[in-house]
Amino acid sequence: MKDFLKMTFASIIGMMIAGFILLILSISVIGGMVATTEVATTVKDNSVFVLDLKGNIVERYEDNPIEQLLGEEITTRGLDDILSSIKKAKNDTKIRGILINAETFACSTASLQDIRDAIMDFKESGKFVVAYSGTYSQGAYYVSTAADKVFLNPSGSISWHGLSAQTMFLKDLLDKVGVKMQIFRVGTYKSAVEPFIATEMSDANREQTLAFTKSIWNEIIGEVSEARNIPTDKLNEMADACMDFQPAETYIENGMADKLMYKDEVLAYLKELTGTSEKSTLATLTLDDMKNVISPTISKSRDVIAVYYAYGEIDNMTSSYDEGINSEKVIKHLRDLRNDDKVKAVVLRVNSPGGSAYGSEQIWREVSLLKEKKPVVVSMGDYAASGGYYISCAADWIVAQPTTLTGSIGIFGMIPDASELITKKLGIKIDGVKTNKLADMGDMSRPFNSEEGALIQKMVNNGYELFTKRCAEGRNMPIDSLKAIAEGRVWSGEMAKNLKLVDELGNLECAINKAAELSGLSEYKLASYPKKIDFVTSLISNAKPERYISSKMEETFGEFGNSFLMLKSLNKADRIQARIPFEVSIK
């Protein structure tokens, strides 16, 4: 017994020592990773910034520690990092130019335009931009036309086929499982509910989708035409012929590319441009390198223009879902900016398809209070529609890209009726008592009766009246004029500018310049909010399995992954929604 106790005690001590050593090693590893990520990049003379257009581009991205710990390649990039890196490259005298390395690339149209605009601005420095790929996607080619030279592998191809927009319809699937969606909406064009109640687009939805898709396509071919000196009619002819499967020589003949080159030939060309000898190694910088390049401090001013990022779906302030726009957190952050005397103006960067009408109203209130104290300028990203427009409309000035999707001023409610699933398919019978006539309202085992449906529709109508009132006041428009362009209709940024829903066409830089003008600042510092979290905090927050799985679904399934994630969050969604059509994919 004595020997047993000794052995047991020794084992416990051994396990404690081993655990302590593992803890020290873990802290050392994490500390080393933190230190690694914080080391400033040293830029060599005659460097080239290699901008890889690959993976999935989102508005703002924080590195996922789980991916780093597992040694996975990072396939998601933040638009903010790309834009800031291009700007750093423009201002760094040691960087001679940019190589656009176009690979498999998933990016929404307005973000593509943001990247292209940043490259066009980079070229004003007199530095070179070269694009190269074996296979250009249509979006990557659009960005690459900003380059001085577009090179293609002799066995490569360029996708050029025009735009299409699709919506995934789920009605037949719901019918099979015995679920019907009870719909309450205002707005002829408010088509976000269609995937649940139809198998194809309504005439109104088809009309609006075709209109904004044509508007976006015309913007794209206009810019490509100017850059490549190809008439727009010819660009449309080539799109009709679907250039994706043409011989490589065809792209040279039609002016889409400048020369067929292998990668080693492109490397030799870059060495020539940078004055690097044939036997020397070309100095290159990746996006990760550029993120750690320290920009020289330009302004010593204490005055700050804050850029606040609000992206994703808008919650209803009661959700624990930590993705997208958490209304309560946004309100707190905006309140802090309102009370910070060093912050002289705020640029609200909105990239949201909408969400909860209640959450949108609460954020609208805080934006209105912020506006009373300092200028507020909205910069719209890929989407600023429905609830995204709701939280934008109170601003002093609204800037959107021509390809931004915005408007969609409308409200809907959607509540499932699972009575067939419960009673017929599952064979479950439900019975009970109630003290009042409508005490069991919302019970999914039965559909709404006429009185209950009227109550819901009235609430939706009231929500629409409030939404349109906010927009009319914010845009200084008569309510009837606003309602004439509301009805839930989605507009491109260019169309919205003509309708006075936005004030200016441009990118985030344009919005910052306007904020400086409105606040009377010639010298200022830029600060981004919310602050990105540190490595250890990120490690803890990303330890949630569902968050990691969500990111993998988005990367693996693309736009279809977003649809599945939307289904996953339905049970957490607000009963009254202000959002654009369920999931629009523009290819």
Side-chain angles (χ1 to χ4, degrees):
M1 184 67 178
K2 186 177 181 180
D3 291 338
F4 173 76
L5 291 175
K6 282 183 180 180
M7 291 178 63
T8 303
F9 182 72
S11 299
I12 293 173
I13 296 297
M15 290 174 64
M16 292 176 64
I17 293 172
F20 180 75
I21 292 172
L22 287 172
L23 177 62
I24 296 299
L25 287 173
S26 299
I27 292 173
S28 300
V29 170
I30 293 173
M33 293 179 71
V34 174
T36 301
T37 58
E38 293 179 349
V39 172
T41 298
T42 300
V43 181
K44 298 178 181 179
D45 290 332
N46 300 319
S47 292
V48 176
F49 171 29
V50 180
L51 176 58
D52 289 323
L53 297 184
K54 65 178 182 178
N56 185 39
I57 308 300
V58 296
E59 180 67 33
R60 207 171 184 226
Y61 182 72
E62 296 181 51
D63 292 336
N64 191 322
I66 293 180
E67 289 180 333
Q68 296 182 38
L69 291 172
L70 294 177
E72 294 187 13
E73 180 183 4
I74 297 174
T75 55
T76 299
R77 296 293 187 179
L79 176 64
D80 60 329
D81 290 328
I82 293 174
L83 299 182
S84 66
S85 296
I86 294 172
K87 191 170 185 178
K88 288 179 186 178
K90 176 186 176 183
N91 296 325
D92 196 313
T93 56
K94 293 183 177 181
I95 297 177
R96 295 287 300 278
I98 291 177
L99 169 64
I100 301 173
N101 185 35
E103 300 183 29
T104 304
F105 185 48
C107 183
S108 297
T109 313
S111 291
L112 291 172
Q113 195 163 30
D114 281 331
I115 298 171
R116 194 179 188 280
D117 286 349
I119 293 171
M120 294 297 291
D121 179 69
F122 172 88
K123 289 172 63 176
E124 292 183 6
S125 65
K127 301 178 181 184
F128 68 81
V129 181
V130 173
Y132 178 74
S133 181
T135 305
Y136 287 94
S137 68
Q138 187 167 252
Y141 178 70
Y142 166 59
V143 173
S144 297
T145 58
D148 304 303
K149 297 290 183 180
V150 176
F151 297 138
L152 176 68
N153 188 281
S155 299
S157 64
I158 298 175
S159 290
W160 189 254
H161 47 257
L163 297 184
S164 65
Q166 293 88 30
T167 300
M168 183 185 294
F169 291 88
L170 305 173
K171 181 182 181 298
D172 287 348
L173 172 63
L174 294 175
D175 286 346
K176 288 179 180 179
V177 298
V179 175
K180 295 180 181 178
M181 286 295 181
Q182 300 170 102
I183 303 302
F184 309 90
R185 60 175 167 173
V186 179
T188 303
Y189 297 90
K190 198 63 182 177
S191 54
V193 299
E194 286 186 6
F196 299 98
I197 60 173
T199 56
E200 61 182 19
M201 287 182 168
S202 65
D203 291 341
N205 190 20
R206 192 176 300 278
E207 174 194 350
Q208 71 168 344
T209 305
L210 181 60
F212 69 65
T213 304
K214 281 185 174 180
S215 174
I216 292 171
W217 177 242
N218 288 337
E219 177 69 20
I220 290 172
I221 62 172
E223 292 187 348
V224 172
S225 172
E226 183 177 355
R228 300 299 305 171
N229 195 28
I230 304 173
T232 55
D233 288 346
K234 185 176 180 181
L235 286 170
N236 272 317
E237 287 176 8
M238 289 192 290
D240 287 338
C242 192
M243 299 297 290
D244 304 44
F245 307 103
Q246 301 295 330
E249 293 78 12
T250 308
Y251 306 111
I252 307 298
E253 295 168 2
N254 287 286
M256 295 184 74
D258 295 290
K259 193 174 182 180
L260 301 180
M261 300 176 75
Y262 288 100
K263 186 171 284 188
D264 62 286
E265 294 176 301
V266 176
L267 178 61
Y269 180 74
L270 292 173
K271 285 185 175 182
E272 182 182 334
L273 289 177
T274 57
T276 304
S277 67
E278 183 180 347
K279 294 183 179 180
S280 298
T281 301
L282 181 68
T284 59
L285 296 158
T286 66
L287 180 61
D288 286 330
D289 294 329
M290 291 301 302
K291 285 164 61 176
N292 294 320
V293 170
I294 299 176
S295 298
T297 303
I298 299 174
S299 174
K300 295 182 180 180
S301 173
R302 296 187 63 190
D303 294 332
V304 173
I305 292 180
V307 179
Y308 188 87
Y309 288 86
Y311 52 97
E313 293 189 21
I314 302 169
D315 77 354
N316 61 2
M317 296 191 71
T318 61
S319 171
S320 59
Y321 193 50
D322 60 356
E323 301 290 337
I325 298 176
N326 184 305
S327 305
E328 192 167 4
K329 288 182 180 179
V330 171
I331 289 169
K332 180 185 181 303
H333 295 158
L334 294 181
R335 185 186 306 122
D336 291 342
L337 293 176
R338 170 161 54 98
N339 295 326
D340 189 336
D341 292 335
K342 288 184 291 187
V343 175
K344 304 302 181 182
V346 175
V347 174
L348 181 60
R349 173 69 174 183
V350 178
N351 195 342
S352 172
S356 165
Y358 178 82
S360 301
E361 167 71 10
Q362 309 316 305
I363 297 174
W364 168 88
R365 168 65 178 171
E366 195 57 47
V367 172
S368 299
L369 293 174
L370 179 61
K371 177 183 172 183
E372 291 176 2
K373 215 169 178 185
K374 54 196 71 175
V376 179
V377 176
V378 162
S379 168
M380 293 180 169
D382 299 310
Y383 303 92
S386 205
Y389 192 81
Y390 202 140
I391 67 176
S392 303
C393 67
D396 295 288
W397 195 259
I398 298 178
V399 180
Q401 284 284 24
T403 54
T404 295
L405 293 182
T406 188
S408 192
I409 302 169
I411 298 282
F412 71 89
M414 183 169 61
I415 302 170
D417 165 23
S419 56
E420 184 179 346
L421 170 64
I422 293 171
T423 61
K424 293 184 179 180
K425 295 187 179 293
L426 299 179
I428 298 173
K429 305 300 180 184
I430 297 176
D431 196 6
V433 298
K434 54 185 178 182
T435 59
N436 297 87
K437 185 169 59 171
L438 302 181
D440 61 341
M441 182 176 174
D443 181 358
M444 287 198 301
S445 66
R446 66 172 180 81
F448 285 123
N449 59 40
S450 58
E451 184 177 3
E452 292 167 333
L455 285 172
I456 299 293
Q457 186 62 56
K458 182 180 179 181
M459 182 171 62
V460 171
N461 293 345
N462 291 340
Y464 181 71
E465 291 301 317
L466 181 62
F467 190 177
T468 53
K469 179 176 181 288
R470 299 304 190 210
C471 294
E473 291 173 348
R475 301 305 301 161
N476 194 27
M477 295 172 63
I479 188 67
D480 290 341
S481 299
L482 189 283
K483 285 185 175 181
I485 55 176
E487 290 286 330
R489 180 155 184 171
V490 181
W491 308 98
S492 71
E494 183 179 31
M495 299 162 82
K497 170 69 165 56
N498 294 331
L499 296 169
K500 299 182 179 180
L501 288 175
V502 303
D503 298 291
E504 181 182 356
L505 297 178
N507 55 16
L508 178 59
E509 197 71 27
C510 294
I512 292 170
N513 292 338
K514 186 64 180 182
E517 176 190 329
L518 292 176
S519 57
L521 296 177
S522 57
E523 291 285 328
Y524 56 87
K525 292 179 181 178
L526 281 178
S528 298
Y529 299 89
K531 297 292 186 183
K532 290 189 177 182
I533 57 179
D534 59 67
F535 182 89
V536 176
T537 305
S538 181
L539 179 61
I540 295 170
S541 64
N542 279 287
K544 297 178 181 179
E546 65 271 16
R547 186 165 184 175
Y548 180 71
I549 291 170
S550 294
S551 67
K552 293 293 103 179
M553 283 187 68
E554 290 175 351
E555 292 170 7
T556 304
F557 298 106
E559 66 267 16
F560 296 109
N562 293 332
S563 299
F564 289 127
L565 290 174
M566 172 61 182
L567 283 173
K568 181 177 77 71
S569 63
L570 273 179
N571 65 319
K572 300 175 182 178
D574 194 8
R575 56 188 175 180
I576 303 300
Q577 293 278 304
R579 56 168 288 133
I580 62 171
F582 178 66
E583 192 64 48
V584 177
S585 169
I586 299 179
K587 300 178 180 178

